[in-house]
Amino acid sequence: MKTTNRAVRTPGGLSIRLDVRAVTVVILLLVAALAASVVLIGTGDFPIPAADVLRTLVGEGNPGQEFIVNELRLPRVLVGLLVGASLGLGGALFQAISRNPLGSPDVLGLGQGATAGALAVIVLTPGSAGQVAVGALVGGLVTGLAIYVLAWKRGVHGYRLVLVGIGVSAIVTAVNGYLLTKSDIVDATRAVVWMTGSLDGRDWEQVWPLLALTAVLVPLVLVNARGLRMMEMGDDVSYALGVRVERVRLLLMVAAVLLTASATAAAGPVSFVALTAPQLARRLTRSPGPNLLPSLCMGATLLVVADWVSQRAFGSEQLPVGVVTGVLGGVYLLWLLVSERRAGRI
């Protein structure tokens, strides 16, 4: 498939250029995510055919199917879709801002920062699940603020941002280890389970806050997508073209931190989705630029598929979804490093 740009004019005279290949990739990823979601909803100890799942979702199922689908399985799938979409979009933002394919929240320490906030609640207070989620959100925000402040020197530049993020990640990881050593066996077990990243037990209580935050942040990011793409040409060129570089960069970094921290608060630190989703989306679209929508759709698809694998690929043993994404993401990272080295870029 060739990359074809087409101009679309609205009745008001607005002209929009569309990348046909990128639009096709987004549509195919949405179809794949929805199909995987239907399959996942129908999977379990009480299997439900896909046709019955669809009928139940539109209110035509029997009472048993409605309870299983709407109360037990649908919230988990929705959390998976929203978490994957948030991580994919957040990863694309950080990679575009840092201009580095390794500049993802996993590498920069935002996941570790959110983990530190959650661990502080688990270890230091008898916090509820909601309080743990708030702690994770606060931890991610504080870590993102610290990285931005430490990386600031007449602006925030990609190379310095990545180096500061790696340093902050190492410090916060040490803090997490310290918190674990100070906890009793019950709290430590609870903390380790949370740190793995899992969608088990997720219900509507996690869906609504994540959905509301995503509904606000995604349009905000897309409105500023043009400025982000122009920033890839360099700050000086962007300034000359009228982009308020530091304002756009700060706004998008805050959005990326909120997306990552909220996803971590909802499902724990699910690793490597934020790193791999933007890279895979770019390879599919073959399009320059941040590829924000393809990355969002790729993240959602990856996490739902990984959740199905974690539930069904190992027989009766169910793994946390973070284990599956960690394995797949680690393999992809090794492949990416080998490819970059062969290309002479590292």
Side-chain angles (χ1 to χ4, degrees), residues 87 110 114 133 136-141 210 213 256-266:
L87 291 175
L110 293 175
L137 186 61
V138 172
L141 290 173
L210 191 57
L213 194 60
V257 170
L258 284 171
L259 286 166
T260 304
S262 62
T264 305

Side-chain angles (χ1 to χ4, degrees), residues 106-326:
D106 300 304
V107 177
L108 297 180
L110 293 175
Q112 291 86 339
T115 300
L119 284 179
V121 174
I122 293 173
V123 174
L124 303 178
T125 68
S128 64
Q131 291 171 327
V132 171
V134 172
L137 186 61
V138 172
L141 290 173
V142 171
T143 304
L145 177 62
I147 292 172
Y148 186 84
V149 171
L150 292 173
W152 175 272
K153 185 180 180 182
R154 295 190 297 274
V156 175
H157 300 283
Y159 184 71
R160 190 162 59 244
L161 182 69
V162 173
L163 287 179
V164 170
I166 292 173
V168 171
S169 176
I171 294 171
V172 178
T173 299
V175 171
N176 292 342
Y178 173 79
L179 289 172
L180 282 176
T181 62
K182 290 298 181 181
S183 62
D184 59 38
I185 186 65
V186 175
D187 288 339
T189 302
R190 181 184 173 197
V192 169
V193 171
W194 187 90
M195 289 170 62
T196 305
S198 175
L199 296 174
D200 290 343
R202 299 304 184 265
D203 56 25
W204 292 105
E205 183 180 349
Q206 284 82 34
V207 172
W208 298 121
L210 191 57
L211 180 61
L213 194 60
T214 304
V216 172
L217 292 176
V218 171
L220 178 65
V221 169
L222 295 181
V223 165
N224 289 275
R226 179 176 177 273
L228 180 63
R229 182 163 185 170
M230 294 171 70
M231 284 164 55
E232 292 190 339
M233 296 185 291
D235 288 0
D236 293 338
V237 175
S238 301
Y239 276 121
L241 293 173
V243 178
R244 300 176 65 180
V245 174
E246 286 306 324
R247 178 180 176 276
V248 172
R249 183 180 286 130
L250 177 60
L251 180 65
L252 293 180
M253 279 192 65
V254 170
V257 170
L258 284 171
L259 286 166
T260 304
S262 62
T264 305
V270 180
S271 58
F272 284 112
V273 174
L275 174 67
T276 57
Q279 295 297 314
L280 292 175
R282 180 172 295 185
R283 291 178 184 278
L284 287 177
T285 62
R286 298 179 186 173
S287 174
N291 285 280
L292 298 180
L293 270 180
S295 299
L296 181 151
C297 298
M298 177 61 76
T301 304
L302 282 177
L303 198 55
V304 172
V305 172
D307 193 29
W308 182 89
V309 172
S310 70
Q311 292 187 53
R312 309 307 300 175
F314 301 95
S316 60
E317 296 291 331
Q318 291 192 13
L319 297 178
V321 68
V323 174
V324 176
T325 60

Side-chain angles (χ1 to χ4, degrees), residues 89-107:
L89 182 57
L93 287 172
F94 272 113
Q95 290 178 23
I97 291 170
S98 65
R99 302 173 196 168
N100 190 319
L102 298 180
S104 78
D106 300 304
V107 177

